[in-house]
Amino acid sequence: MRLTIYLFVLLFLNICFSQTNNTVYEANWSSINARPLPGWYDDVKFGIFIHFGVYSVPAFSQPTGYAEWYWYNLMNPSNDGNQTLDYHTKSFGKNFPYQSFAEMLNLRLFDPDEWAQTIYDSGARYVVLTSKHHEGFTLWESEQSWGWNSVNIGPQIDIVGALSKSVKEIPGMHMGVYHSLYEWFNPIYLDDLTKNPPTQVYVNEILQPQLRDVVNSYEPEVIWADGDWEALSSYWESTEFLAWLYTNSTVKDTVVVNDRWGSDCRMKNGGFWTGGDKTNPGYLIPHKWENCNTIGYSYGYNQNEPIYDYQNSTVLIQEMIETVSCGGNYLLDIGPTSEGTIPMVMQERLADIGKWMDINGEAIYSTHPWRVQNDSADHLIWYTTNTNTGAVYAHSFEWPESGKLLLNAPIATSYSSISLLGYKGKLPIKMAPTGGRSGISITLPNASPNDYPPFDIFVFKLLNVL
Ligand SMILES: *[C@@H]1O[C@H](CO)[C@@H](O)[C@H](O)[C@H]1NC(C)=O
Ligand SMILES: *[C@@H]1O[C@H](CO)[C@@H](O)[C@H](O)[C@H]1NC(C)=O
Ligand SMILES: *[C@@H]1O[C@H](CO)[C@@H](O)[C@H](O)[C@H]1NC(C)=O
Ligand SMILES: *[C@@H]1O[C@H](CO)[C@@H](O)[C@H](O)[C@H]1NC(C)=O
Ligand SMILES: *[C@@H]1O[C@H](CO)[C@@H](O)[C@H](O)[C@H]1NC(C)=O
Ligand SMILES: CC(=O)N[C@H]1CO[C@H](CO)[C@@H](O)[C@@H]1O
């Protein structure tokens, strides 16, 4: 009898352990949505989005527009009041076809190790590169995009392969790809749509083989789908792809995906939620989400963008903090030039964020949302917490003139202590519990500006507060 029980226990344990990573996912959303999000993604918090393609050659849009939509705007001039068409006609001639830009994508100065290092130095720990945008041009030698990819034409470089290699060589970094489900002008896709109900020749002969190819060839740990809105996920066969990705692919245990898998999916189905572009709700979302933001306005490089469109480093760091406080990841975009350089203003912003992260990274990486997200006794404060150490981080967006920082939400105990991350001076920071009620008053040090961390964002680390 005892032996039987023992054997049953063993069998039970065996089933538990062997199933942790051998779950078979089925091609329906209830099965796909039940998959736990691999932990690395929530830990790293900060990634860099890269928009690069044939559109990086003309690199033009109206100031508040998307340069990666150049071809679409050229073919649909009413979309931007003829601005792209006028620029195109003036610069290249009315009859110059968009496709000819591919030859001009030269990447003469492309150094994937340098891109990877620049990104790592910003504090970001993952990369999402446009393996294919809506123009259909792929940044690897895709059989399904023969003659319209970066190996067959233009730079003759496997960009996805080169950058994946450089990124993965840096310990702690994760490589991912963006992939557009639809292609604006692919005749096979457009032909499918003329049928009622639409046929799926494009999905079966192009999209699905291409997605599997990019996964098998480069083992990306993020698949960031987009261009999903013209059809339901059933048309794109998204659950079929994800069931395969989660069950049978070589990245099944570590890959994460977003929610843009069909017009029925955003903020509902898939992995982490993105909603729209540049989403930043300002309150806690009870599901992992991501804010895909830009430094300027456009995702692809836009030469026509004025400096005041570019957010400064303080604002970018503040957005990252607010996003992380509310349970999100921050995916910040850069748009390299057709020569393969990262525009100087973007490099500067990334270096700045890196300087701040060097000092304050412990208040971002591996944190969780706290029981309260923001506070406003004096001015705006956002909180994060590390559940392993119990530390609560209060991110203050200014240095209070009064010499005292008031926090409404935390409750002090006799064991509570407070420090200021990156503060070089030796002045103690005093804390006055406000009589058992919630609320803490912190007396700030009186020191020279050089003693403070950069960018006017101060992180107070609170230990043993409730
Ligand atoms: C979806 O997959 C699950 C397995 O996770 C299965 O139990 C369920 O019957 C499927 N639902 C539908 C509607 O096919
Ligand atoms: C765009 O060009 C068309 C055709 O030349 C013209 O009719 C229209 O007025 C132009 N629109 C704008 C906003 O300039
Ligand atoms: C996974 O692989 C197994 C074994 O080859 C196969 O039977 C199954 O259909 C595959 N599942 C998916 C979702 O591709
Ligand atoms: C950064 O931009 C914000 C918003 O435009 C502005 O309020 C702030 O003064 C700027 N900070 C610096 C250091 O330029
Ligand atoms: C937190 O921020 C939200 C949105 O900005 C605001 O509505 C709310 O009042 C703030 N809460 C506190 C406690 O400051
Ligand atoms: C999807 C999934 O459950 N992945 C897990 C597989 O196992 C590793 C190691 O135990 C976990 O880290 C993954 O989260």
Side-chain angles (χ1 to χ4, degrees), residues 1-13:
M1 183 61 190
R2 261 192 208 165
L3 184 65
T4 317
I5 291 172
Y6 180 71
L7 285 176
F8 266 111
V9 168
L10 270 190
L11 181 67
F12 178 72
L13 286 175

Side-chain angles (χ1 to χ4, degrees), residues 222-259:
V222 184
I223 313 285
W224 214 101
D226 191 29
D228 56 315
W229 49 81
E230 287 190 350
L232 294 167
S233 57
S234 55
Y235 170 79
W236 302 116
E237 297 181 0
S238 298
T239 56
E240 284 81 357
F241 169 69
L242 293 169
W244 170 80
L245 184 71
Y246 289 176
T247 306
N248 283 358
S249 78
T250 55
V251 287
K252 68 187 176 70
D253 295 330
T254 55
V255 73
V256 298
V257 308
N258 67 345
D259 60 349

Side-chain angles (χ1 to χ4, degrees), residues 337-366:
T337 68
S338 61
E339 285 80 16
T341 57
I342 299 171
M344 203 53 75
V345 60
M346 300 181 190
Q347 290 192 41
E348 191 213 29
R349 299 297 192 264
L350 296 195
D352 282 352
I353 298 172
K355 272 183 219 155
W356 187 86
M357 289 288 268
D358 280 348
I359 295 165
N360 299 291
E362 69 165 272
I364 298 290
Y365 299 125
S366 301

Side-chain angles (χ1 to χ4, degrees), residues 24 26 28 30-31:
V24 172
E26 295 186 33
N28 68 57
S30 58
S31 175

Side-chain angles (χ1 to χ4, degrees), residues 90-102:
K90 190 171 62 181
S91 312
F92 308 102
K94 207 175 175 53
N95 298 321
F96 188 89
Y98 180 81
Q99 289 91 325
S100 297
F101 285 130

Side-chain angles (χ1 to χ4, degrees), residues 189-199:
Y189 172 62
L190 296 175
D191 186 60
D192 275 349
L193 294 191
T194 63
K195 312 284 164 49
N196 190 10
T199 47

